[in-house]
Amino acid sequence: QHMEIQWLPIALANSRNPRIREGKEGYLNASTGVTTIPYTRKELQGTPFAFTLEEGAPDKTGNHHYWLEPANGLIIAKNIHEKLAQVDPANAAYYKSNYETFTTRLRDRIKDWDTMMAPYKGMKVVSYHRDWIYLTRHHGLEIAAYIEPRETIPPSASDVAILVKRIKAERIPLILISPWQPQRISREIAKQTGAAFLSLPSTVDARLGVKDYIDLFDVVHAQLTRALQEAKR
C-alpha cells in the first residue's frame, strides 16, 4: 500500500533484516488479494498522501483500513499462513492447522455479526476518519459524511458548521470514531446535533478489552448494534 510509503521502507531498513524487504523471501503484503476501496482525488488533494494519485497501481492506492472488514481477515490469514509455510516448511502442518481453526471460527462469527447488523441496513452515520468504510459498506450502512474533510486533515470551523447543519437536516443519529483519533471535535458535534457518539476500537488492544482479531469484531458489533438500536428508537 502506497499510503505506508512514508514510514514502511524506513522501518524495513532499520529492522536490519534484509530477508523481509520487498521482493525478498520473508516479505509479506497482507493485503494481497483484497479488493481495496479507492480514495477519490478530492479526499487526498492537499494531504501528505496526494502523491499516490499519480503513482502506482490502483491496488496500492486504496484505503488501507482493509482489516476492518471481517471477511478480509480470511484473506489476510491465508496470506500469513502461506508465507509462514513458505519460510518454515518444517512446521507447515502446524500453521495449516491453526489457519483452518481460525478461519472456521471467523466464518461462523461473520454469519452471527451479519445477522446482528441486518436490522440496521440503510441507516446513516458520520465517521471522523475513513477507517470504518469497509465495515459499514459490508453491513449496508451509509457513511453520509466525514468529519475530516480530506484524509488526515482536521476540519475547519466552517467545515464543522456545515456538517452540523447537515446532521440536523438529515437527522443522522450516530458519529463513529476510533480511540486514537481526536475526540473533542466529534463530541462537540454530537452535543450540538444530538447524535450519539461512539468510539470503537479499530485494533487489538488489551487496554480496550480486545484480546484478538475475532474478539475485536465481537466488541465492535456489540457496541455498534447497541448504539444503532438506541438511535432507531
Side-chain angles (χ1 to χ4, degrees):
Q1 293 292 317
H2 281 181
M3 300 294 283
E4 277 76 42
I5 202 168
Q6 293 183 329
W7 62 268
L8 184 55
I10 297 172
L12 290 175
N14 288 343
S15 72
R16 299 180 183 178
N17 182 355
R19 294 182 64 202
I20 66 172
R21 294 177 185 172
E22 188 166 4
K24 301 300 182 180
E25 178 188 15
Y27 179 81
L28 168 65
N29 179 354
S31 71
T32 299
V34 172
T35 301
T36 56
I37 299 173
Y39 285 99
T40 66
R41 180 169 294 272
K42 183 178 179 181
E43 288 175 316
L44 297 184
Q45 204 70 51
T47 76
F49 311 105
F51 70 93
T52 65
L53 296 169
E54 312 301 336
E55 297 185 17
D59 64 333
K60 289 193 174 183
T61 57
N63 186 299
H64 54 293
H65 299 283
Y66 58 86
W67 76 89
L68 289 174
E69 154 64 276
N72 285 341
L74 298 169
I75 300 173
I76 296 167
K78 182 175 183 290
N79 289 331
I80 294 172
H81 155 240
E82 290 178 348
K83 179 57 65 173
L84 289 172
Q86 175 190 340
V87 300
D88 184 19
N91 290 299
Y94 172 75
Y95 300 130
K96 181 180 180 181
S97 175
N98 282 349
Y99 165 70
E100 291 175 346
T101 298
F102 172 79
T103 53
T104 297
R105 287 181 57 215
L106 182 55
R107 285 192 179 95
D108 288 343
R109 294 303 292 137
I110 288 173
K111 294 176 184 177
D112 295 336
W113 298 326
D114 287 349
T115 299
M116 291 171 64
M117 290 294 296
Y120 311 108
K121 186 176 182 178
M123 289 185 68
K124 290 183 177 181
V125 300
V126 166
S127 181
Y128 183 88
H129 189 65
R130 288 160 178 79
D131 46 354
W132 294 109
I133 188 171
Y134 288 93
L135 187 73
T136 52
R137 184 184 69 168
H138 175 78
H139 291 304
L141 299 178
E142 177 186 347
I143 298 182
Y146 294 97
I147 296 175
E148 284 183 337
R150 299 185 305 284
E151 190 74 342
T152 72
I153 303 299
S156 66
S158 62
D159 290 327
V160 171
I162 292 170
L163 182 57
V164 165
K165 288 182 180 179
R166 182 175 178 187
I167 292 173
K168 288 181 177 179
E170 299 182 22
R171 307 178 91 176
I172 300 171
L174 183 62
I175 294 172
L176 297 179
I177 192 169
S178 297
W180 59 271
Q181 294 155 0
Q183 310 285 299
R184 184 186 60 80
I185 294 175
S186 299
R187 287 188 181 277
E188 181 59 30
I189 292 172
K191 181 179 178 181
Q192 291 185 35
T193 61
F197 171 90
L198 180 59
S199 181
L200 288 173
S202 55
T203 189
V204 175
D205 189 334
R207 296 168 299 177
L208 300 174
V210 180
K211 64 180 182 296
D212 59 36
Y213 186 77
I214 293 176
D215 190 46
L216 168 65
F217 291 104
D218 278 334
V219 172
V220 164
H221 285 92
Q223 295 183 8
L224 184 55
T225 52
R226 189 180 308 121
L228 291 169
Q229 184 179 36
E230 292 176 357
K232 286 187 72 172
R233 291 174 182 171

